[in-house]
Structures are given as C-alpha cells and as structure tokens.
Amino acid sequence: MGNHHIFNNTGVDISGQDRWQALTTADLPDGIALAHVTLFELLHKQEKIDVLVPLTDLLDSKGALAGGLLHEVYELLADHSSRLGIWLTSNTDADALAGLSEFLLQQALIVIHVPLFADGRDFSFVQTLRQLGYQGEIRIAGAFGRDQIAYLLRVGVDSFVLSAHNLKSDISQAFTALASSYDGQNAAALPMFANG
C-alpha cells in the first residue's frame, strides 16, 4: 500500500489508531486501507483483526449476495475477524445497494473508492447509504478532490484516506464548514454573504 493517511471528520489524522486491513485481492486499489492481509495470513493469525472485503467478490452475476461457497468463505472471514467491513468502487451499480440494505447495515465500515475524479457518484452512494439507515462509518478513498471534502462531510462521510501527495499543503481548511448545501437543504435560505 502506498503512503496514505486517514483523517476523521474534523480533519484529525487518525492513521495511528486505525486497525483496518484490506483483504488482498487481485483488484485491491491502493489506499483502501493502510495495511492489507492475505486470506492465508488471516486464517493463521492468533489475534482477530478488522478486515475489509470487496463487495463485488461477495455478489453473484445478478448483483445479489452470493450463496454457496462464497457465503461460506464470508462466514469463515467473519469467524477470523474482530470486525468486518466492505469496500466498493463508486462505479458500482447504485441500484444494487438498495437490494443489499440488510447486509450493508451490518457492516462496521464501508469504504467507497473513487477510481477517477469524474463525477459525483460517491456523493450519491453516501446519501443512499444514509437514507437506507446505515449508522456505521463511511470512508472515502481514491481520486476525490480536496475541495470536495466539506461537501462529502455534509452528505455523511466520516473519514477520508488521503495520499501523501495531497498533504503537501495545509489540509485543515478542507474540513471547514460551508455556507452552501449539497445535502438537499434549501441553500436559497442561507445568507449569500455572512456578516463577519
């Protein structure tokens, strides 16, 4: 994994306290977690750890949770982990999330990886998860812009994975509140210019 840091919703670097490890797969993007673990290593560890698994590897061809062997492997992961979370990419079919709501609500952490800085699907994913009733931690990783952080906070993101490249200047200003709204509130009711 590359050189990344995790920041909470107030802009504090929580990298030292984060214990999540991503399960190593062929499609594991850089930055999903600060560390990774192979299935073999996980099954032979004495202690249980927090593990992130890819959502797409748990789904069948119709976008539903797979049964059979994949379900048994997931149960094996659950038995050898202290907590399980999932990661998905922002180009995952958003309609599939509603059909997986019961499963998603059980996750301790959901990481949304943004592969390309191209559109606002990450915003839609976060909003959909919160509308489904997800109360756990939502983390954004990948190619999102620093200028999007305050907007992502408004829709319900709890933490952010930033590369060392994005930390070359002061990051704290990205976590300051905005005087506009992306979360469906009436932005017209807000003052255009704040009195200082």
Side-chain angles (χ1 to χ4, degrees):
M1 303 258 106
N3 187 12
H4 291 84
H5 296 269
I6 300 172
F7 289 83
N8 69 10
N9 59 2
T10 62
V12 174
D13 188 338
I14 58 169
S15 303
Q17 296 87 34
D18 190 78
R19 299 291 175 240
W20 287 97
Q21 294 188 38
L23 187 66
T24 303
T25 64
D27 299 326
L28 179 63
D30 194 29
I32 291 295
L34 299 181
H36 56 90
V37 62
T38 66
L39 181 58
F40 181 80
E41 291 170 333
L42 178 63
L43 296 178
H44 290 89
K45 279 188 174 289
Q46 294 294 342
E47 76 281 357
K48 292 185 175 187
I49 61 173
D50 299 339
V51 179
L52 288 165
V53 297
L55 178 63
T56 55
D57 286 2
L58 303 174
L59 304 179
D60 62 19
S61 60
K62 296 177 184 173
L65 285 175
L69 183 59
L70 280 180
H71 179 73
E72 289 182 31
V73 169
Y74 183 77
E75 293 298 319
L76 186 63
L77 290 170
D79 289 343
H80 286 80
S81 305
S82 57
R83 295 184 299 168
L84 278 177
I86 59 161
W87 66 266
L88 53 105
T89 60
S90 61
N91 58 9
T92 302
D93 180 12
D95 294 334
L97 292 183
L100 302 170
S101 61
E102 185 177 324
F103 174 75
L104 295 172
L105 295 176
Q106 297 171 6
Q107 305 306 308
L109 171 65
I110 297 176
V111 178
I112 301 170
H113 182 262
V114 183
L116 297 171
F117 184 73
D119 59 42
R121 286 184 283 184
D122 47 339
F123 290 92
S124 299
F125 270 52
V126 174
Q127 189 170 31
T128 299
L129 288 168
R130 294 302 186 204
Q131 288 172 345
L132 290 172
Y134 181 71
Q135 300 287 319
E137 181 180 349
I138 298 176
R139 182 174 291 175
I140 295 287
F144 62 92
R146 288 170 54 131
D147 60 334
Q148 293 179 321
I149 290 174
Y151 293 103
L152 288 163
L153 286 167
R154 290 196 82 145
V155 294
V157 174
D158 300 296
S159 58
F160 302 83
V161 181
L162 295 165
S163 69
H165 171 74
N166 286 327
L167 300 177
K168 291 183 178 174
S169 61
D170 183 24
I171 191 69
S172 63
Q173 62 195 10
F175 289 86
T176 58
L178 296 173
S180 64
S181 181
Y182 187 85
D183 60 2
Q185 297 176 13
N186 185 358
L190 297 171
M192 184 177 290
F193 299 102
N195 293 332

